[in-house]
Amino acid sequence: MTLIVDTHTHLDGAEFDEDRDEVMARAKAAGIAKVFLPAIDLRSVDSVLAVSNRYPGYAYPMIGLHPEEVRADWREVLAEMKRRVSSRFIAIGEVGLDYYWSREYEQEQLEAFEEQVRWSVEYRLPLMIHCRKGQQEMVSVLKRYEKDLPGGVFHCFTGNEKEAAQLLQFDKFVLGIGGVLTFKKSHLPEVLPSIPLSRVVLETDAPYMAPVPMRGQRNESAYVVYVLRKMAESYGLPEDDVARATNENVERIFGIHVNNI
């Protein structure tokens, strides 16, 4: 059995407070070797650490300020967050730009993102990047630090071949592929074969965006197996081959080895 990794899951969220142990047990039973937990704000820095402490060697925390959580006080928030950066964290995330709903804090988001990109360089931690309706702005920020960045993941990639190529010019980065791959109207199954298998990782973004056949339900890490299944189908490869390749990508980006059984 080839184990796999859910590289992006919010299992620290209140949505899992009633049955977190069961959710973790289902993930392990489904062959999920490890789960990576992004922070989104100061409170969630505590919650991802708490969950990681409860499931040592299985759940791994990240630290970062999500673009939708950026407000006028972002400098104070990041100053407090930076004081808490330590070797416990496997990445700076979830960070980025999100102009989908509003551009009210457009400049603040840009400055907060760039500050956290600098953390990635300073602490040699990969980035977990969220980007909606801001790819050009995001790319221009990353370009300034391209030579010094240790790498990372462009989380929840749903774009076309041209957008994939623009992101993959950052050669130490990979694309995070989740439940959208399985959606009926998704074009990702046609886009994926143009993306080298060495440049993708698996994710759920639980509790959001559950894959088919679980769409409409609360997402959880066990469901990443449906993403793996569709990814293997898209590449025309056995699931074990895709699992091994994505695990190698996880090890390269995060330095965390996945033992197979």
Side-chain angles (χ1 to χ4, degrees):
M1 179 184 184
T2 303
L3 304 178
I4 53 178
V5 178
D6 184 355
T7 62
H8 193 115
T9 180
H10 300 276
L11 295 179
D12 62 304
E15 296 90 346
F16 299 101
D17 284 351
E18 299 300 315
D19 63 345
R20 191 169 287 110
D21 286 344
E22 291 84 351
V23 167
M24 293 294 190
R26 285 194 292 271
K28 291 177 182 178
I32 315 308
K34 299 178 188 299
V35 295
F36 296 170
L37 312 179
I40 59 169
D41 56 16
L42 273 176
R43 183 206 60 78
S44 65
V45 173
D46 292 326
S47 59
V48 298
L49 282 171
V51 172
S52 299
N53 288 338
R54 184 172 175 86
Y55 308 96
Y58 190 74
Y60 293 79
M62 309 181 205
I63 185 167
L65 181 62
H66 190 289
E68 288 186 289
E69 302 299 326
V70 171
R71 302 288 184 270
D73 65 347
W74 68 269
R75 285 188 176 86
E76 292 81 0
V77 172
L78 287 190
E80 176 58 30
M81 213 173 258
K82 190 175 185 185
R83 281 192 283 272
R84 303 192 59 184
V85 176
S86 74
S87 60
R88 282 294 316 278
F89 298 101
I90 64 165
I92 303 298
E94 175 177 359
V95 306
L97 301 173
D98 194 320
Y99 302 137
Y100 184 78
W101 299 110
S102 165
R103 285 187 176 259
E104 180 183 1
Y105 293 104
E106 178 176 0
Q107 188 58 35
E108 290 88 344
Q109 281 195 32
L110 277 167
E111 292 181 40
F113 176 51
E114 184 161 4
E115 170 67 15
Q116 292 176 100
V117 169
R118 287 195 289 264
W119 293 1
S120 173
V121 173
E122 179 179 350
Y123 296 108
R124 308 312 299 162
L125 288 172
L127 287 162
M128 179 61 73
I129 298 179
H130 167 112
C131 186
R132 280 202 302 184
K133 302 297 183 184
Q135 183 158 320
Q136 299 306 321
E137 296 93 330
M138 175 193 69
V139 166
S140 68
V141 171
L142 293 178
K143 276 284 190 186
R144 295 200 280 276
Y145 300 89
E146 185 173 6
K147 293 177 182 176
D148 299 317
L149 284 169
V153 178
F154 294 109
H155 151 65
C156 193
F157 177 75
T158 60
N160 57 34
E161 291 181 23
K162 183 178 178 182
E163 289 164 325
Q166 185 182 37
L167 298 178
L168 293 179
Q169 69 179 303
F170 299 100
D171 58 13
K172 296 176 186 173
F173 282 75
V174 296
L175 306 180
I177 307 295
V180 171
L181 175 64
T182 70
F183 293 178
K184 187 176 180 181
K185 294 184 178 179
S186 174
H187 57 269
L188 274 179
E190 289 74 51
V191 174
L192 266 188
S194 71
I195 299 167
L197 193 52
S198 60
R199 305 299 298 277
V200 293
V201 293
L202 300 162
E203 64 175 40
T204 59
D205 202 20
Y208 315 109
M209 294 195 302
V212 173
M214 303 298 182
R215 195 168 183 193
Q217 300 181 31
R218 179 192 69 175
N219 201 2
E220 56 181 76
S221 287
Y223 299 166
V224 80
V225 296
Y226 298 112
V227 181
L228 171 66
R229 187 173 301 164
K230 188 66 176 181
M231 185 179 284
E233 181 185 309
S234 300
Y235 279 108
L237 292 170
E239 288 181 27
D240 278 358
D241 289 0
V242 174
R244 278 191 290 270
T246 55
N247 288 346
E248 288 171 7
N249 301 339
V250 167
E251 186 170 351
R252 187 175 73 249
I253 299 292
F254 295 96
I256 294 173
H257 184 65
V258 183
N259 291 312
N260 293 314
I261 58 176

